[in-house]
């Protein structure tokens, strides 16, 4: 479970302070996928970085299974698996070697890491190429390796920041299948995206981030019901109109 | 609860270090550029220059020069010139001729000015003009001797001390002293080059690949991550400079005769130790600058644009202070890079002192430590997440 309450975050750039989040609150629950939506620059990445302990909130707090992301950041990091769309795995190491490295970063014992690698590789179907250099892999294979890296330490919470933004259709399917699987296993999943159709298909709960707060937050069905068409993009346009972003 | 290893800050840093090394070992191209190339660089430059300069000197010496001698037809003059140069005496100058001009109405024994006309844009003609000066000096002695015999004296009896300077360097070595003086600059250039590609790749390159945030979300501290990367780049910088040093030794040995004793007074073991120490500390300094700037930059391109100006300033600093005499100014040895250059020069010439070495090592260590602390601070700040994406 991820509980975000009253989150504030500003960045100082060139002597100017820019308020990105101003009072963001939501809860993501186990066995469900929470979709954080919003246009580019809305603050999705910032929010997920705050949850992942990469940034510290100016105000407000985040609890992961009851642990505070600031005061207990190390324990929190043990519970979360992060994947971002910007991540491009590369290099001469094989998937197995990379996974072992991330296992070490998570202070896992070697035998346990190898056990996890076998399990994940079987589950994602990586056995054929797990010892091949990453540079020689196809995009789908790389994507599976990235996913494997993010869950090597068996996290309870899975945080994916626009994971499909740079992917082709095959690699996108790999990610979406994985997310549905994780949900079925009872993980808490938070997914950010600006692709509304993807959110509509995958998510159980949805938050739309606009002007630093959640303009909409709740169960997908309830949110879609607010529009006659029952479509997420109409929800979005209605919101944008309300705020004078589009006419 | 999961099985957990208990780790310290340093053993955590070694996780990062080992992974980087493992990755590098499989990268044959980078490995070649950081380790093998510096080994070959100095021998190639030295042996190449040695061959080229030797051949040029041979050509210059064996060439026949056209010469016009005005207002003097003394066969003795031609004889002394022929001892110095292959010449062809002609009446009117053509392109590339040299001219020796005695004044109108000159007669043997007059006190007079003699002009030698030559074209300084040609190396060989310049060389020939120097030989002509020698010939005229010899001719002057002959004339003086002739005058003295009229008083029953000779030149030998006027001089009581005869000095002989015997140059033990083989003739081909002319001009290599310059090359030896270039060694510190070549080394400085290569200390940067050695750490550059690995240093920028592991910092700004990691940001570009979007993997930095993933590396930061786990059980090892950001300080350990920074230290692991610093250790990696520093050790590659040092490895690279040790290869440069080995290359230098190979170059010195291969062209051993060429160095002679004039430029290397035996090249004592202490000089070698100083060279190696300076090399190691300087490459660590270059590496720690590169890691810090690479971590500040958002992209590899940006990182390169940060490092380049510093690189150029360092080389300029060296060139502008080339003729500086450091012996009376110990404080100069507190200025990073400048101290490396003048100390290396001192080591090569065999006049570096222990105090100079000490000041240099202390100053470099302090700056390196500050840079490492700054890098570690940067990794602990939110700035490290800044990438080209946001
Ligand atoms: N480190 C930073 N310094 C200054 N501004 C930042 C920084 N990170 C993000 N921002 C700004 O915060 C806003 C939200 O960014 P981000 O969270 O990346 O949005 P999203 O992921 O929704 O596209 C953007 O306007 C971005 O320019
Ligand atoms: Mg984003």
């Amino acid at each position: 479970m991820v509980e975000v309450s009253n989150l504030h975050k500003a960045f100082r750039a060139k002597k100017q302070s820019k308020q990105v989040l101003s009072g963001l609150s939501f809860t993501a629950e186990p066995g469900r996928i929470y979709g954080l939506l919003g246009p580019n620059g809305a603050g999705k990445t910032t929010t997920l970085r705050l949850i992942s302990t990469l940034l510290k909130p100016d105000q407000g707090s985040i609890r992961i299974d009851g642990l505070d992301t600031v005061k207990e950041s190390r324990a929190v990091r043990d519970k979360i698996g992060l994947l971002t769309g910007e991540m491009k795995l590369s290099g001469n190491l094989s998937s197995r070697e990379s996974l072992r490295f991330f296992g070490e970063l998570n202070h896992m014992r070697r035998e346990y890491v190898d056990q996890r690698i076998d399990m994940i590789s079987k589950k994602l179907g990586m056995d054929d190429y797990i010892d091949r250099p990453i540079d020689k892999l196809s995009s789908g294979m790389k994507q599976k390796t990235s996913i494997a890296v993010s869950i090597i330490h068996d996290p309870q919470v899975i945080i994916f920041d626009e994971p499909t933004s740079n992917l082709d259709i095959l690699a996108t399917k790999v990610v979406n299948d994985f997310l549905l699987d994780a949900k079925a296993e009872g993980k808490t999943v938070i997914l950010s995206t600006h692709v509304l159709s993807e959110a509509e298909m995958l998510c159980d709960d949805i938050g739309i981030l606009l002007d630093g707060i959640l303009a909409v937050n709740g169960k997908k069905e309830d949110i879609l019901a607010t529009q006659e068409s029952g479509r997420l993009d109409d929800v979005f346009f209605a919101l944008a109109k309300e705020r004078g972003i589009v006419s | 609860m999961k099985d957990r290893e208990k780790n310290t800050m340093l053993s955590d840093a070694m996780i990062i270090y080992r992974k980087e090394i493992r990755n590098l070992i499989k990268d044959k191209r980078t490995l070649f550029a950081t380790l093998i190339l510096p080994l070959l660089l100095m021998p190639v430059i030295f042996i190449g220059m040695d061959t080229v300069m030797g051949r040029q000197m041979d050509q210059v010496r064996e060439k026949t020069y056209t010469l016009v001698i005005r207002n003097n037809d003394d066969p003795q003059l031609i004889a002394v010139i022929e001892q110095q140069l292959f010449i062809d005496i002609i009446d009117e100058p053509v392109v590339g001729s040299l001219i020796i001009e005695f004044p109108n109405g000159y007669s043997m024994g007059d006190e007079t000015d003699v002009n030698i006309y030559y074209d300084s844009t040609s190396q060989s003609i310049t060389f020939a003009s120097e030989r002509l000066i020698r010939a005229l000096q010899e001719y002057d002695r002959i004339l003086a001797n002739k005058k003295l015999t009229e008083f029953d004296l000779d030149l030998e009896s006027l001089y009581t001390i005869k000095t002989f300077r015997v140059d033990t360097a083989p003739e081909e070595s002319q001009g290599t002293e310059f090359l030896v003086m270039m060694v510190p600059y070549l080394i400085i250039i290569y200390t940067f080059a050695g750490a550059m590609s690995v240093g920028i790749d592991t910092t700004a390159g990691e940001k570009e690949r979007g993997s930095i945030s993933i590396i930061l979300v786990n059980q090892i501290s950001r300080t350990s991550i920074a230290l692991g990367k610093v250790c990696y780049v520093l050790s590659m910088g040092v490895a690279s400079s040790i290869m440069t040093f080995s290359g230098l030794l190979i170059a010195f040995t291969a062209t051993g005769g060429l160095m002679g004793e004039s430029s290397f007074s035996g090249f004592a073991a202490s000089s070698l130790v100083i060279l190696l120490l300076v090399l190691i500390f300087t490459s660590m300094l270059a590496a720690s600058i590169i890691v810090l700037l690479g971590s500040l930059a958002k992209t590899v391109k940006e990182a390169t644009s940060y490092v380049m100006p510093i690189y150029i300033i360092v080389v300029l600093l060296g060139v502008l202070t080339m003729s500086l005499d450091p012996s009376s100014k110990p404080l100069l040895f507190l200025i990073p890079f400048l101290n490396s250059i003048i100390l290396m020069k001192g080591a090569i010439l065999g006049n570096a002192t222990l105090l100079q070495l000490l000041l240099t090592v202390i100053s470099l260590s302090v700056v390196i430590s500050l840079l490492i602390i700054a890098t570690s601070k940067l990794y602990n700040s939110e700035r490290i997440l800044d990438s080209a994406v946001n």
Side-chain angles (χ1 to χ4, degrees), chain B residues 1 29 48 52 107 113 122 124 140 153 174-175 198 207-208 222 232 242 263 316 321 361 376 378:
Chain B
M1 203 43 220
R29 210 175 326 150
V52 170
S107 76
D113 291 341
S122 158
S124 55
D140 193 23
L153 285 169
Q174 301 185 26
V198 291
K207 288 190 193 180
E208 221 170 74
R222 293 185 178 201
Y232 165 59
I242 287 177
S263 25
L316 270 182
T321 53
V361 167
S376 154
L378 185 62

Side-chain angles (χ1 to χ4, degrees), chain A residues 11 13 18 20 39-46, chain B residues 386 390:
Chain A
F11 289 109
K18 183 177 179 195
V20 177
N40 276 335
K44 301 181 296 295
T45 298
T46 304
Chain B
D386 286 1
N390 49 42

